[in-house]
Amino acid sequence: MPSLCRLSTRLILLFSAALFFHQLDSATCSSAHADNSHDPVLSPADFTNSNNVSLALWSPEPAVNDAAIEGFFSQSGHTNNWAVLVCTSRFWFNYRHIANTLSIYHTVKRLGIPDSNIILMLSDDVACNARNHFPATVYNNAGRFLDLYGRNIEVDYRGYEVTVENFIRLLTGRHDPAVPRSKRLLTDDRSNILVYMTGHGGDEFLKFQDAEEISSYDIADAFGQMHEKKRYHELFFMIDTCQAASMYKQIYSPNILAAASALTGQNSYSHHLDPEIGVAVIDRFTYYNLETLEKLKSGDESTLSQLFGSYNRYAIASTPGIRTDLYPRGTGAALVTDFFGGVQNVQLTDTGYRLSPSLSSSPASRRLQLSKSGKSSPHNDKQLEAPPPEHRGRSRKSTAPRVHKDGRPALGPFLGGIAVFVGLAWVGVGGLKGKKESVNSGNSNPTRATGSR
Amino acid sequence: MVFSQGHWWWASLLCLVWLGQAQAGVAITDESYNEDLRFTQLPDGKVLSEFKFIRRIGPLALAKVRDNHYSLLPRSVGEIVQTFGVEELHLTFTQGTWNHQKWGYSPLGAAAGVQLWSWFNTSSVDKQWKGLTHALAGLFCASLNQIDQSNTAQPLLSFLPEGDYGEELPQDVLELRYGSLPHEAVCTENLTPWTKLLPCQTQAGIASLFNAYRLFDGHYHSMGTHIRPIITDDAGRGMEFVQTLSVVLNPLRLDNRKDWSLSSLFERKIASACALASDTKVVVTVPSHPASTLNSPPLSVLTDSHERLSAHYNLDLSTPKDTDFGVTWEDSKVDHGVNRSRWYIDAHRYQTGYGGERGGLAVDLRNHHPTADLDIIYFEAIPWYLKLYLHTLRAETAADASHEIIKDMYYQPAIDRGRPAVLEMKMTLPANSTTTLHLEFDKAYIKYTEHPPDANRGFDIGAAVITFTAIPESPPSPHDIPPQVRIHTETVLVSLPTPDFSMPYNVITLTCTLMALYFGSVFNMLTRQYQPVIVKG
């Protein structure tokens, strides 16, 4: 038993050391995060020929690499953007709900979220509906300036597939294994997600296709599960329906911001009608959001508080509800493009990326060689499969810019692997020693209690 | 930006050129891509446009595909074929019904909605079929994943393998699955991913005519994806990947004239030939009278036996940009008559009976041939919620039928929520007659959660498929009518007994009221003390 104690002590020591390194690591991140207007710290010797960000992105030094990524991809801690846009209404006379959703689709696509990161759910097909006087189009304005359907649209869930079950499955990521990637929300803890819903609703419910309802508790619990599963970094929940504010009431998970078209007890109204299409083409709340959103360009610095400040409850004919208590960053600090825009930062460099001899013989490449020749230790193999657990919380997945991922020397995991290996060896030796020395070290360890509990 | 190291760019450019040549070399030997576009003006003035994009992948290239090296075949398609052991795949997205009587037969004619049939060369076909439908649903933005076991059929005769399998007897090894979604909407979101599979997308080649606003404004449009094995010269097994699109547009809608051109039909012109296509053919076929003028001079003009003129064009990179084709007519008269001299068989399916409890299906199968009896294969997959009574099946004909009409029959009864009823029959239609099939069914009272959100609209029953292998007096040009013709009937909309969906709420309200009344009165009685009140007085 005492040897076990000693073993656990050593393990604890080891992990605390790892944690310390990790914190050091994140400390450098946050410092770089603070002054992200400057280029991040540059790499040492290997990268002396250039001082730009893209090389720092490739740096084998984890600190430099982290810092570069932090400033390069985003300024608010997210590295990728996703949008879930849901129209829950079927039937032709709900044309405006589809137009609402497609307007937001158009905006987020224009601001840089690619189709692969947009999950579009449309309950009905109005574009090719026989009632549509203008086939294959959806307009959100009686002036018909802009065809929202356009030439390049990908609807992920449509018709009867737009159900409460599918929506919750999408959010929580619990799918049948056969479900294709385009129908999954492949987010991580660095994803900012915009969830936009529109349809007919009431106090704490939203109807799906006039057949079933989702309640505010369902939504809150789905978001709660997403938080537990580290499926988002920040989430903006926007809903345009009657009594919309009742839908975000029950949400309890952190880093969620919500905006709704009307307070509980208020109706939400449509904006105007196109006499040739014959139905209302857009709702007021979405219309006035678009007034702001349509003017934005990618990389715009407008904040969400500016967007919320533009709401005029007389024009909207209902009082928009905004919930910020779960959102510590504050709407004044959050940009509109943090949710409506894609993280897309491409830096062109006029100097080539040269594989210097020192880099090509770096431990990372050696590791690859090792693993290829099959002589690698089991620990190294493990490292190849998955990053060490303390790094998992910081998995970086970029959406748009594909900087050659394979080419990036992954030194961090390797060093981690070595550390773990050495540490385990040390622990093992310690354990053996402990067995040998054994017995008289009877003093119980505080950690043992927790271990045995 | 100034590039200080210019030679880098030259080097990379040279490298690209060299790579391009290497690619082209591969394409010449083992892979080929052709485009084929046919315009046919039908007697009623409508213009049928048939686009074909044909990719033939030879055995060498196919071996590379197995190593995940793709050049002409789109990776998304190649991966699906490999993952799910697909030998042959036929998927069509269609809106509108092909009018056999007026327009004749088209090899690109398909059933309304989505139709998918596939031959598998794998074990555990049901699992692969499920995976295939889900993968295609993701690829083409459609609800194909709703083709589950309950609407999957395995016809025996109607959908034979179309590929070239060499010596093998494919049906012993391969397994077929067939499914259809008659109510599936087809719109731009299906066209978008489909055109993204084309080598030149819609930037060049005949696909530059694709204008969604016009394509989806037609009387009929069908978008097909077909994969089948082929045997190439070097005796290896290759693959043919064909994308087809056919659309029927009506020039008379615009200014009541039969004249048409690409810019009037599609509001587009052919930008240029697709550089990857080794051959781009355009054929314009019109009735030979009244007299007409072709808008651009063709390479050659042929007259076929059915009094039609075919003008042939070839497009290549030297063709001037923005090529337009079209026909101008001296006389804009159109012929709405039905031509029975070539298309002998047509079919019409409808519902009989009334009420919510039972109903029936009837199919009129007409053989217009004056003398010959014609053999057909009739296939129908009926969802389980129409409970067929096979003993009610009868074939009636006005002709003096000395022989049996139904020669052979395969019937698979439905299993509730498990599989559809499948009816496949070999029939002989007597000459110059109408044969009517009758079949009765009970309408199932399905669970209230099984109704779609728009429950009162009804349920669509997929088209029946009529296949006939041989046609007497086959026309001289083999392209006009393929050896095996498949025509499809209308889909049928059946309304099932719809429950009162608000009934549970009514029950809850009523029960609660009763409970409240009961509880209130009992509680009142139990807690109240009854005693005489003495009024003094």
Side-chain angles (χ1 to χ4, degrees), chain A residues 128 147 149 154 158 160 176, chain B residues 130 184-185 187 189 213 454:
Chain A
C128 290
D147 169 27
Y149 229 57
E154 287 178 18
R158 63 177 194 170
Y160 298 144
D176 186 292
Chain B
K130 183 186 174 194
E184 183 71 3
C187 205
E189 70 261 29
Y213 305 137
D454 48 355

Side-chain angles (χ1 to χ4, degrees), chain A residues 90-91 115 125 127-128 135-137 147 149-156 158-161 176 178-180 182-183 209-211 213 348-352, chain B residues 1-5 130-131 134-135 137-139 141-143 145-146 183-190 192-193 196 212-213 216-217 268 452-454 505:
Chain A
R90 175 172 277 275
F91 303 122
D115 255 327
D125 167 50
C128 290
T137 62
D147 169 27
Y149 229 57
R151 286 185 205 173
N152 191 354
I153 181 165
E154 287 178 18
V155 184
D156 300 298
R158 63 177 194 170
Y160 298 144
E161 286 179 289
D176 186 292
V179 169
S182 67
K183 291 189 170 185
Q209 306 214 22
D210 237 1
E213 290 99 36
L348 291 173
T349 158
D350 53 352
T351 51
Chain B
M1 201 182 289
V2 181
F3 298 105
S4 53
Q5 293 168 317
K130 183 186 174 194
H134 276 83
L139 184 61
C141 292
S143 315
N145 48 326
Q146 292 183 343
H183 183 37
E184 183 71 3
V186 183
C187 205
T188 318
E189 70 261 29
N190 307 115
T192 306
K196 280 180 185 166
Y213 305 137
F216 297 113
D217 198 12
R268 299 272 162 83
D454 48 355
Y505 305 99

